[in-house]
């Protein structure tokens, strides 16, 4: 079972009161009995201690404690206006308050509780862990009533989860660490894969052997890349989403890939995505089904007046896009629609290598290209000539 996507910081002064959501993925109709989604504190302050359990979704308490027939579960705050759901998924929203997740059984029908009874996920992030409790009532994660202390899984704050705690009785199915804002980059994270809005002096605060990725932007959303199952950077997409009118947002919960500056084809644009997703693409329109996935080497994207749409295969037309944009990006501006497959924000030879590896994959073009497409080996020779000519012209 996997954490599929979480939207923890929607835009606007009230966005995180109504638009936060959680999505899980696993085997069809899988039971959620004794399953919990927990969040560990990342911050260190007078009121925050890293490693403490600050929020919990008790998944076994849901009115429908099963994944849907398609293997998906979505949980949403009260008061939102998301409108697109897969009917085969289990889709639940909080019905015991007018907005937020609520907190505790009297105000949350989705099993949520948090340390401040605020009914929201903290914008700063934390370590998100999907676990099953195998130890019975003695090892259930919970939020204690004040003034009792929170459960601390890193008592000595050494950035390693402690042995000899209730964690020993859990199966950890999935976890990811997020330091969401620039003010929180010193936070302690505890997952195998961890993303941050920046890097603190001395490097990221993660366990020995864990991966730390500096996203370089505020992280409001994170989700698995397609139907991925691993714990590498390639398995996840972290992003900043927007409801700016220039993105095509239509006020139906269709939050879009953000960038600075806003605007389709804006000059000097830095798109806030770890997977090269172009500005304006709808990231919250797949609720209850597989997340967005773009094949490495698929560069053929058409703007349809609402968002960019990729044609879903890797062929000669994608090579032509790469060729037109070779050298573009300067480590800042290129996305997949320009020909950047490896996410370094520059269109270069490494992207061509990924195109060649995946040549011929996909379901077929939505818009055909009326040219003869050479075999990959011939195209590579053509590329070498194109690169040489490009360099000669620059000289």
């Amino acid at each position: 079972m996997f954490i599929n996507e979480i939207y923890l910081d929607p835009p606007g002064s009230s966005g995180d009161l109504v638009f936060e959501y959680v999505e899980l993925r696993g085997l069809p109709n899988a039971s959620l009995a004794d399953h919990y989604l927990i969040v560990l504190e990342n911050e260190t302050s007078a009121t925050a201690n890293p490693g403490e359990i600050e929020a919990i979704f008790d998944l076994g308490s849901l009115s429908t404690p099963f994944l849907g027939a398609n293997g998906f579960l979505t949980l949403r705050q009260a008061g939102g206006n998301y409108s697109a759901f897969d009917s085969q998924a289990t889709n639940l929203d909080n019905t015991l308050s007018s907005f937020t997740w609520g907190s505790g059984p009297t105000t949350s029908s989705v099993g949520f509780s948090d340390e401040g009874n605020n009914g929201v996920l903290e914008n700063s992030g934390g370590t998100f862990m999907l676990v099953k409790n195998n130890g019975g009532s003695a090892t259930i994660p919970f939020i204690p009533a004040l003034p009792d202390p929170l459960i601390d899984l890193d008592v000595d704050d050494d950035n390693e989860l402690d042995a000899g705690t209730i964690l020993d009785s859990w199966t950890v199915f999935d976890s990811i660490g997020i330091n969401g804002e620039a003010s929180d980059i010193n936070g302690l994270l505890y997952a195998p894969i961890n993303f941050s809005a920046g890097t603190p002096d001395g490097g990221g605060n993660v366990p020995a052997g864990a991966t730390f990725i500096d996203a370089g932007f505020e992280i409001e959303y994170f989700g698995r890349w397609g139907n991925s199952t691993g714990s590498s950077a390639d398995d996840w997409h972290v992003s900043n989403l927007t409801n700016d009118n220039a993105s095509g947002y239509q006020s139906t919960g269709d939050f879009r890939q953000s960038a600075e500056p806003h605007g389709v084809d804006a000059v000097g644009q830095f798109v806030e995505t770890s997977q090269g997703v172009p500005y304006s693409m709808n990231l919250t329109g797949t609720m209850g089904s597989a997340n967005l996935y773009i094949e490495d080497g698929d560069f053929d994207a058409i703007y349809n007046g609402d968002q960019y749409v990729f044609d879903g295969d890797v062929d000669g037309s994608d090579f032509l896009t790469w060729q037109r944009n070779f050298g573009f990006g300067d480590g800042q501006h290129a996305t997949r629609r320009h020909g950047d497959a490896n996410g370094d924000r520059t269109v270069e030879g490494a992207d061509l290598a990924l195109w060649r590896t995946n040549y011929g994959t996909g379901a077929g073009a939505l818009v055909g290209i009326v040219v003869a497409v050479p075999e990959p080996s011939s195209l590579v020779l053509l590329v070498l000539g194109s690169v040489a000519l490009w360099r000669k012209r620059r000289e």
Side-chain angles (χ1 to χ4, degrees), residues 168-288:
D168 293 345
S169 297
W170 298 348
T171 300
V172 179
F173 291 113
D174 202 7
S175 63
I176 179 173
I178 300 290
N179 283 333
E181 300 180 328
S183 58
D184 304 310
I185 62 174
N186 290 298
L188 274 61
L189 302 172
Y190 299 93
I193 179 70
N194 306 273
F195 294 86
S196 177
T199 302
D201 294 340
N205 296 316
V206 300
T211 300
F212 176 86
I213 303 294
D214 184 340
F217 52 83
E218 179 181 352
I219 301 170
E220 297 181 346
Y221 162 96
F222 58 94
R224 288 204 163 265
W225 188 233
N227 280 326
S228 71
T229 59
S231 294
S232 73
D234 290 341
D235 290 304
W236 291 92
H237 179 210
V238 301
S239 177
N240 189 0
L241 306 189
T242 185
N243 59 355
D244 190 278
N245 289 336
S247 71
Y249 180 72
Q250 299 176 10
S251 301
T252 58
D254 56 318
F255 293 99
R256 307 303 180 100
Q257 175 60 60
S258 188
E260 292 293 339
H262 287 281
V264 176
D265 286 328
V267 176
Q269 188 176 70
F270 179 87
V271 186
E272 297 159 314
T273 168
S274 68
Q275 285 286 1
V277 174
Y279 179 77
S280 83
M281 291 194 73
N282 183 355
L283 269 294
T284 60
T286 61
M287 207 168 289

Side-chain angles (χ1 to χ4, degrees), residues 44 48-52 152 154-160 162 188 190:
T44 301
N49 185 25
E52 291 182 334
D152 194 348
D154 182 18
V155 173
D156 55 2
D157 294 340
D158 66 350
N159 220 172
E160 300 285 348
D162 298 333
L188 274 61
Y190 299 93

Side-chain angles (χ1 to χ4, degrees), residues 17 39 75 104 106 146 195 203 251 290 295 310 328 338 346:
L17 301 180
V39 186
L75 302 177
T106 60
L146 293 174
F195 294 86
S251 301
E295 187 72 58
F310 287 79
F328 172 76
H338 301 107
T346 302

Side-chain angles (χ1 to χ4, degrees), residues 89-109:
T90 299
N91 295 298
L92 303 173
D93 61 355
N94 181 23
T95 60
L96 295 181
S97 60
S98 299
F99 50 90
T100 77
W101 294 110
S103 183
T106 60
T107 59
S108 181
S109 65

Side-chain angles (χ1 to χ4, degrees), residues 364-387:
L366 299 177
V367 180
I369 178 169
V370 190
V371 296
V373 180
E375 291 299 313
S377 57
S378 301
L379 277 170
V380 171
L381 294 175
L382 177 59
V383 168
L384 294 176
S386 300
V387 172

